[in-house]
Amino acid sequence: MSLANAPITAFLCSLRLAFFHAKRKFPKMGLDLNGVNHNYKNATNSCSQMGDDLVIDLGRVDTKKFLMQGVEKPTKYVNKLSAWEMDSLTALGDTFLPAMEPPNTTDESIAYFYRVSPSMIGTPDYLGGLITQRLGHHVFLLRFMLLMLSTRIGTFLMGGFHSLSPQFPFFQKFSQLPLEKRQLIVRSWATSWFKYFRMAFVGAKLL
């Protein structure tokens, strides 16, 4: 049996079985399927043979390549953010999803999930392309926030006293701050009286 005809054969087989089930359940209805006159046993054997042939045919092809046919690859957007903006975006990503010590587990995949941060797997670069080429609303506000966080003065204006350091230089940009202070700044945006800080928190969290 040809692999290309397998879906058609499977459909006809299912239709044939449904017909014979209905005929056995309602014998007085006189159902007929284009003059086909086979008993239920022959129909079942035919379907079983079709399944065996399909397994044999699938064994002769590259199943991974066959199953991946027609599956669209994720779109790769060109990242047009500046190095300063990318520095802030990377720090924001690691603030929301920081790498941490995994719990006691023998599952390597779970341990890997805990140890990996977005910056380790190239997430900021993908998000940079998404912002510049796909995002339709509030792009200017989002990029302005990233630009502000890439400077010491901008970080102080958006983070307040949480961005200050007891050592010189006292003002630091967002990516230079420890994780605890970055998280405090982001949380302060969520409860700020200033509307645009709250919008910045929502936008950064959705990314």
Side-chain angles (χ1 to χ4, degrees):
M1 181 190 68
S2 174
L3 185 61
N5 295 329
I8 299 176
T9 308
F11 171 74
L12 293 177
C13 180
S14 301
L15 190 63
R16 186 186 305 168
L17 288 176
F19 164 73
F20 283 111
H21 274 299
K23 188 173 182 181
R24 292 178 66 191
K25 190 173 183 180
F26 306 103
K28 295 182 179 181
M29 292 180 63
L31 296 175
D32 190 11
L33 186 63
N34 296 329
V36 178
N37 187 19
H38 298 289
N39 56 36
Y40 178 78
K41 183 177 180 180
N42 290 337
T44 306
N45 292 336
S46 176
C47 292
S48 177
Q49 182 64 34
M50 184 275 296
D52 294 339
D53 293 341
L54 181 59
V55 172
I56 295 173
D57 286 344
L58 285 177
R60 299 194 191 111
V61 300
D62 186 353
T63 54
K64 182 177 181 180
K65 182 178 179 181
F66 174 76
L67 293 174
M68 289 300 293
Q69 288 181 354
V71 177
E72 296 183 0
K73 296 181 179 180
T75 305
K76 178 66 176 178
Y77 299 108
V78 179
N79 183 7
K80 296 182 179 180
L81 294 182
S82 66
W84 288 14
E85 292 170 319
M86 284 301 302
D87 185 54
S88 301
L89 182 61
T90 302
L92 272 176
D94 290 346
T95 301
F96 280 101
L97 295 172
M100 59 183 66
E101 284 298 320
N104 294 330
T105 178
T106 57
D107 194 330
E108 289 296 328
S109 60
I110 296 178
Y112 177 79
F113 174 79
Y114 276 89
R115 292 194 183 102
V116 171
S117 64
S119 61
M120 297 179 183
I121 55 176
T123 303
D125 186 63
Y126 175 78
L127 290 178
L130 197 67
I131 291 172
T132 54
Q133 292 195 325
R134 188 66 178 173
L135 213 60
H137 301 285
H138 307 300
V139 177
F140 173 78
L141 179 62
L142 189 57
R143 296 191 66 172
F144 180 74
M145 176 192 70
L146 295 176
L147 190 61
M148 289 282 288
L149 293 176
S150 66
T151 64
R152 290 185 173 91
I153 299 300
T155 302
F156 174 71
L157 292 176
M158 295 192 67
F161 292 103
H162 296 307
S163 64
L164 295 179
S165 173
Q167 299 175 350
F168 183 86
F170 305 107
F171 296 92
Q172 292 182 324
K173 58 183 182 179
F174 189 75
S175 60
Q176 294 174 336
L177 297 173
L179 175 62
E180 293 77 12
K181 286 194 173 183
R182 283 188 275 127
Q183 290 177 337
L184 286 174
I185 291 175
V186 170
R187 288 171 189 162
S188 68
W189 295 345
T191 57
S192 175
W193 60 269
F194 191 47
K195 171 185 175 182
Y196 291 103
F197 281 176
R198 297 196 303 271
M199 291 177 63
F201 172 79
V202 174
K205 188 176 180 180
L206 289 177
L207 286 177

